[in-house]
Amino acid sequence: MPAQAYRGKPCVCQHRLELCDQRCVADMLETTFYIACLRLTGRRCLVVGAGDVGLEKIEGLLACDAGVHVIAPDACDGVRALAAAGDVEWTERPFAAGDLEGHFLAIAATASTETNIAVFEEAERRSMLCNVVDVPPLCSFILPAIVRTGPIAIAISTAGASPALAKRMKREIAELYGPEHAELAAILNDARGWAKATLPTFADRRDFFEAIVNGEPDPIELLRAGDRAGVERLVAERRTAAERAPAA
């Protein structure tokens, strides 16, 4: 349930009820979300609102090399600094109809229910991706907690039910999957070109990589011990074995 939407309080979603009756969040836990990773490099993304919450969303977009456009009549110091450095474009005024033109997705992070609804409804008309912070019913996509280590990204979502639980899970996952997993991903990526050029079928390529990842010695344990050379020897041995295997 979104923190801003609960029974007896003013409505913050598209239903515009006098008082919230939670109808908009009743099915959130039953919603099956389609999980995808968006490539935002060079894509223009809009953030409406430039307070501390907006800054958090802006920084997440910048981490993915998105082109960030911010619309807000005022901004916190962090957003002002990003705008002054040229890292984001800041349009210093309230959101207006038509502002979503030319953007790939929109995030609304304002304290104004009417503004948030306006962003959501325009995004719906344009079939654009939209996230209204802390109001899942006004989202065509939600932003999970993310654990990032090199090329590895692990997303944790509770469908808006409990951000606190998502934060705990993020911390626990970060302790379980560390830099050695990212290092192994990079080593295996280096072998992908050889595998595609040498191994004729998907099954052959799958078996080659699974033999490395799930075999003995354990490449993760080797990397934890600082033995990258041992992992590279393991990959070389598997390559040799694959090359010598009789054709099906």
Side-chain angles (χ1 to χ4, degrees):
M1 181 175 66
Q4 295 178 9
Y6 50 96
R7 191 178 305 278
K9 295 296 182 178
C11 180
V12 298
C13 78
Q14 71 273 32
H15 294 299
R16 291 186 171 89
L17 304 176
E18 182 178 355
L19 295 175
C20 175
D21 65 2
Q22 295 186 345
R23 71 179 63 175
C24 62
V25 297
D27 65 344
M28 287 304 296
L29 292 180
E30 284 73 42
T31 299
T32 300
F33 289 94
Y34 184 78
I35 306 300
C37 296
L38 300 179
R39 184 175 183 176
L40 297 183
T41 303
R43 294 188 183 274
R44 186 170 167 83
C45 299
L46 176 65
V47 176
V48 181
D52 291 339
V53 175
L55 174 61
E56 178 187 345
K57 306 309 175 187
I58 291 165
E59 290 176 337
L61 292 170
L62 291 175
C64 298
D65 295 322
V68 180
H69 178 203
V70 181
I71 296 179
D74 197 6
C76 67
D77 291 343
V79 175
R80 289 180 178 273
L82 289 171
D87 294 323
V88 304
E89 175 190 348
W90 176 25
T91 300
E92 195 172 345
R93 60 164 173 76
F95 175 80
D99 280 344
L100 270 62
E101 180 69 30
H103 296 88
F104 179 70
L105 61 79
I107 297 175
T110 82
S112 167
T113 294
E114 289 303 313
T115 299
N116 291 340
I117 292 174
V119 174
F120 169 76
E121 290 184 340
E122 181 170 339
E124 287 289 282
R125 289 192 296 271
R126 294 174 178 268
S127 298
M128 281 180 59
L129 295 174
C130 179
N131 175 275
V132 176
V133 175
D134 211 21
V135 189
L138 295 183
C139 298
S140 56
F141 74 100
I142 59 175
L143 295 168
I146 302 292
V147 177
R148 293 188 190 276
T149 306
I152 295 175
I154 303 172
I156 307 104
S157 172
T158 61
S162 177
L165 177 58
K167 288 181 180 178
R168 171 179 172 165
M169 294 172 67
K170 176 180 177 178
R171 182 178 67 252
E172 292 174 349
I173 289 171
E175 293 171 354
L176 184 60
Y177 298 101
E180 60 276 359
H181 293 81
E183 188 173 5
L184 179 58
I187 292 171
L188 296 176
N189 185 64
D190 289 342
R192 283 173 60 86
W194 172 87
K196 286 185 176 182
T198 307
L199 303 178
T201 69
F202 168 81
D204 291 333
R205 295 188 290 273
R206 177 199 61 206
D207 292 347
F208 167 73
F209 285 108
E210 288 191 354
I212 297 170
V213 172
N214 301 317
E216 293 293 339
D218 183 347
I220 293 296
E221 293 303 321
L222 290 174
L223 291 171
R224 283 176 177 159
D227 189 6
R228 181 186 175 101
V231 178
E232 291 173 342
R233 284 195 301 272
L234 176 61
V235 173
E237 290 169 2
R238 296 299 181 185
R239 285 177 57 167
T240 300
E243 290 170 337
R244 291 176 177 174

